[in-house]
Amino acid sequence: MHLAVAISSHGYGHGAQTAAVLAAVRARLPQLRLTLLTGLPRAFLAERIGGDFTLIDWRADFGMRMTSALDVDLERSGDAYAAFHADWPAQVDAACARLEAVAPDLLLANVPYLPLAAAARLGLPALALCSLNWAGIYRHYFGARPEAPAVLADMEAAYNAARHFLCPAPSMAMPELGNVRPIGPLARLGRPRRAQLCDRLGIADTRRIVMIAPGGIPLRLPLETWPVDPDIAWIVPQAWGVERPDMHAFEALGLGFTDALASVDALLGKLGYGTVAECACNGVPMLYIPRPDWPEEHCLADWLARHGRCAPVPREVVAAGRLRGLLDALWAQPARPLPAPTGAEEGATLIAAELRPR
């Protein structure tokens, strides 16, 4: 059987969600042929899925245009959606041609809606998977634009054409969809390698380690001006080119992301699904930079507050690196029972059922 998977390239959260389910599907169906339709990097996908797959660079959605990792460019995003839907039938025709060339038995989308519209036209069985959908995001920002009713009609018809829309905990409300199927959290459990990590960093195991993870969207912090704290070592993206003895590039560690995450004392980042779910399920405290206008923000923050240890940190405090007091307060919070990442197996059960010969 052949499964095609369309994955949004808007950050790494869509890929992390999907990969967790695909790894569980592949464990059940080791002979499954897998084609990924996305602009996400092969290395990121290969680490999380395992096994062979075909990768086709098809970026079937753009999510939202961003001015930074935290800020939406509303004017460019609204205009981009208007242009994308100006000749919607032609967009669907082109997507049909792409899917016919791939020739899968089932399509899974997280969460581009154009491939779902094409699958519906072709009579190809399809499922959707995500903690959000672009129709809900679009309505939040652009519902008052004159073209919004037509754009939303295209979006919602495509999403509702899927047999099920699998919504992992936590997910934003989706009242516009009639095919929602809740599943548990999607997260990988890391193997704590604290001693190995400290050895590679060249630090004592009594020193606190904090990882900075922007979640796949560029976010460069002014780390060179941060005060030095002798009790804290920082793990940062290698691409930032930081040269300080207390700051270490993640890529040089030789550890997978989730194993490194399970070995640190805290994470600093934004509230994206993958970061939130993996911090909670691995018991890692999180400082997060709020995005109050992002419609998924509140459901993620509320769920993480119930299931993990977390605290918001204002942008100006992050920019200045004045984090020690917030980190101490974060570490003083009582630990909570870890949520079980049951969503991968639940999603795999549904996908495997759809892949059985009819």
Side-chain angles (χ1 to χ4, degrees):
M1 302 297 288
H2 183 193
L3 174 64
V5 188
I7 308 173
S8 174
S9 306
H10 188 263
Y12 284 175
H14 300 276
Q17 287 181 0
T18 310
V21 175
L22 293 181
V25 172
R26 176 154 274 171
R28 296 174 180 223
L29 304 171
Q31 302 304 314
L32 178 68
R33 181 181 167 201
L34 186 60
T35 299
L36 305 184
L37 311 169
T38 182
L40 292 174
R42 175 180 285 275
F44 170 82
L45 298 165
E47 179 200 345
R48 290 172 172 264
I49 297 170
D52 293 333
F53 57 83
T54 299
L55 179 62
I56 298 175
D57 189 352
W58 180 21
R59 308 180 191 213
D61 67 350
F62 57 85
M64 298 293 284
R65 304 298 189 196
M66 309 294 291
T67 58
S68 74
L70 303 171
D71 301 298
V72 177
D73 189 326
L74 292 178
E75 183 175 358
R76 280 206 312 139
S77 296
D79 291 347
Y81 273 109
F84 191 64
H85 287 263
D87 193 355
W88 180 244
Q91 295 276 19
V92 179
D93 286 343
C96 284
R98 282 181 173 268
L99 283 182
E100 285 181 313
V102 174
D105 298 296
L106 177 69
L107 172 72
L108 175 66
N110 186 333
V111 64
Y113 54 91
L114 176 58
L116 293 171
R121 182 181 293 182
L122 294 171
L124 173 67
L127 300 171
L129 162 72
C130 198
S131 58
L132 58 80
N133 71 74
W134 295 126
I137 301 294
Y138 179 91
R139 180 183 292 103
H140 173 80
Y141 287 112
F142 309 119
R145 288 178 64 119
E147 71 275 11
V151 172
L152 284 168
D154 294 338
M155 289 178 157
E156 292 173 6
Y159 283 133
N160 276 305
R163 296 193 177 189
H164 301 291
F165 194 117
L166 310 182
C167 290
S171 287
M172 61 184 288
M174 301 188 192
E176 64 274 6
L177 304 186
N179 54 356
V180 167
R181 184 75 173 261
I183 60 176
L186 292 173
R188 290 201 310 173
L189 298 180
R191 296 167 293 173
R193 297 187 173 188
R194 178 72 180 202
Q196 183 179 357
L197 179 58
C198 290
D199 182 65
R200 294 187 181 184
L201 296 178
I203 63 173
D205 60 9
T206 55
R207 195 168 174 185
R208 297 284 197 175
I209 305 172
V210 179
M211 178 186 292
I212 302 176
I217 298 178
L219 173 66
R220 178 60 161 90
L221 299 175
L223 302 183
E224 290 83 359
T225 63
W226 281 18
V228 174
D229 188 323
D231 297 327
I232 296 179
W234 304 89
I235 297 175
V236 305
Q238 188 172 39
W240 291 4
V242 181
E243 295 186 5
R244 282 181 40 162
D246 60 337
M247 295 187 176
H248 310 266
F250 165 75
E251 290 81 355
L253 300 178
L255 296 176
F257 176 82
T258 315
D259 286 353
L261 177 68
S263 306
V264 302
D265 296 288
L267 180 140
L268 170 65
K270 65 181 180 65
L271 286 178
Y273 183 92
T275 304
V276 165
E278 294 199 340
C279 280
C281 293
N282 285 282
V284 178
M286 180 180 182
L287 282 183
Y288 64 87
I289 307 167
R291 295 184 295 168
D293 68 321
W294 184 249
E296 192 190 16
E297 177 93 353
H298 299 296
C299 83
L300 293 175
D302 291 347
W303 186 85
L304 185 57
R306 293 195 305 272
H307 296 283
R309 290 181 285 169
C310 64
V313 52
R315 293 192 197 188
E316 61 273 17
V317 174
V318 174
R322 301 192 306 269
L323 300 175
R324 181 55 189 267
L326 289 168
L327 285 167
D328 286 339
L330 181 68
W331 290 321
Q333 291 182 21
R336 293 172 173 80
L338 303 185
T342 60
E345 290 298 331
E346 293 164 10
T349 297
L350 292 166
I351 293 168
E354 293 292 334
L355 280 167
R356 292 194 185 105
R358 301 179 186 281

